[in-house]
Amino acid sequence: MSSALSLATLFSLIAIVTKFTDLVNLGRPALYCFIFAAIAYALAILVIRFRAPAFLQEYPDYKSFDDKKHSHRWVLWQFHTNLIALKGGFKLLPQTVEKKLSVNVTTPPGRTRLPVVTAFVGPSIEKDTPLKNPDGSTVTYKMRVHDPLNFDRDLIMGFTMMSNIDNVERKYVLAIREDDAKCDLKCKELFWIILTAAAKENTYSRWFAWALVRLSVLLLIFAVIVAVVHALWLPAPNAPSSFKYIYADIVPKTVGPRS
């Protein structure tokens, strides 16, 4: 709906500027530049609409997400959904480990209220994911992600990672808990992990959309310059400067000589 409104606004502006150009005579080149600028911007909107990830379109920044006042569980559902939807989605799992959002439960967890065993039961998706180390080497991990599980008023998601080097399966639990003092910070951190990954999707489409936006801006600037030059270049129309022309229009002429 927002894309349709944007397009409708653009083409309405084209009609208005076309009429304005006819009235003030800014020149056809300026009008054509503006039309092509609007078309380029409209194409950019269409590319973003059909190629940008749904998460990025719905939540372009954290404020748009926070304004919806979702439950604390919603961000983890979004994380799970985008793990599957995004091409590099499974690469987000190690980030949650590095940022201490996920807990390693490979060894007996000791004191915990989390249903660790249940988190690794049920539907799951497995994928081999290559990851680059800081030294430039590549390690392939066999990752398995289980569907999130409701626990009290919270949500937990279990996943496993096993590298092709040691073949040791490590289990992790990503939990978003309402009674966690850092719940809001973790929700925000998880949101930015998803958004950053979504912004990197469809690289060529993103470049093409930005190229169209830049072209639109350049054409718009050029249209203004051409319009100004055109207006200054044309000679001003000759206006009557003698008072007698005005007087002749106001005072009616007398018919015949006065007696």
Side-chain angles (χ1 to χ4, degrees):
M1 180 61 71
S2 59
S3 301
L5 291 174
S6 300
L7 291 174
T9 303
L10 283 173
F11 288 105
S12 298
L13 284 174
I14 291 176
I16 294 172
V17 172
T18 302
K19 187 64 178 178
F20 180 75
T21 305
D22 291 337
L23 290 175
V24 301
N25 191 23
L26 293 180
R28 290 292 171 180
L31 175 62
Y32 294 150
C33 287
F34 180 83
I35 291 176
F36 285 123
I39 292 174
Y41 193 76
L43 289 175
I45 292 176
L46 291 176
V47 171
I48 293 172
R49 176 64 182 85
F50 290 104
R51 294 293 294 166
F55 184 85
L56 188 63
Q57 296 188 49
E58 187 172 1
Y59 308 112
D61 50 40
Y62 184 73
K63 185 179 183 302
S64 60
F65 178 82
D66 190 53
D67 288 345
K68 297 291 183 67
K69 302 301 178 183
H70 291 301
S71 165
H72 63 288
R73 298 180 294 271
W74 181 247
V75 69
L76 184 50
W77 278 116
Q78 288 293 315
F79 182 77
H80 179 266
T81 300
N82 284 277
L83 278 177
I84 303 170
L86 300 178
K87 294 178 182 178
F90 274 66
K91 294 182 179 180
L92 305 182
L93 293 175
Q95 294 186 36
T96 65
V97 177
E98 295 170 2
K99 296 179 180 180
K100 299 181 179 181
L101 300 174
S102 298
V103 180
N104 189 336
V105 294
T106 304
T107 57
R111 299 179 183 177
T112 179
R113 290 183 59 250
L114 296 176
V116 175
V117 176
T118 311
F120 297 94
V121 177
S124 63
I125 297 177
E126 186 178 291
K127 188 175 182 180
D128 291 339
T129 306
L131 297 176
K132 285 188 176 181
N133 291 325
D135 59 1
S137 60
T138 301
V139 179
T140 300
Y141 286 87
K142 185 183 292 293
M143 300 182 182
R144 180 182 292 275
V145 179
H146 294 263
D147 287 353
L149 172 69
N150 285 299
F151 173 63
D152 293 338
R153 287 176 51 83
D154 303 323
L155 197 68
I156 65 173
M157 186 187 77
F159 64 93
T160 61
M161 296 174 55
M162 182 172 63
S163 70
N164 61 348
I165 297 178
D166 55 15
N167 291 322
V168 175
E169 185 182 69
R170 295 171 175 84
K171 294 183 177 181
Y172 299 90
V173 169
L174 174 57
I176 298 296
R177 307 177 64 180
E178 189 176 29
D179 59 356
D180 189 345
K182 297 182 179 180
C183 181
D184 291 340
L185 292 176
K186 289 183 177 180
C187 288
K188 190 173 184 178
E189 188 68 43
L190 205 56
F191 170 85
W192 282 112
I193 290 176
I194 305 170
L195 188 70
T196 303
K200 295 178 180 178
E201 290 283 297
N202 302 325
T203 304
Y204 295 111
S205 298
R206 185 174 71 252
W207 288 351
F208 183 58
W210 275 112
L212 288 173
V213 171
R214 293 187 181 97
L215 176 62
S216 175
V217 172
L218 291 176
L219 286 173
L220 185 60
I221 295 174
F222 187 71
V224 173
I225 295 174
V226 170
V228 171
V229 171
H230 182 80
L232 295 176
W233 186 264
L234 287 179
N238 294 325
S241 58
S242 178
F243 177 75
K244 65 179 181 180
Y245 293 104
I246 302 175
Y247 179 80
D249 292 336
I250 298 177
V251 180
K253 296 180 179 179
T254 55
V255 179
R258 289 184 178 182
S259 57

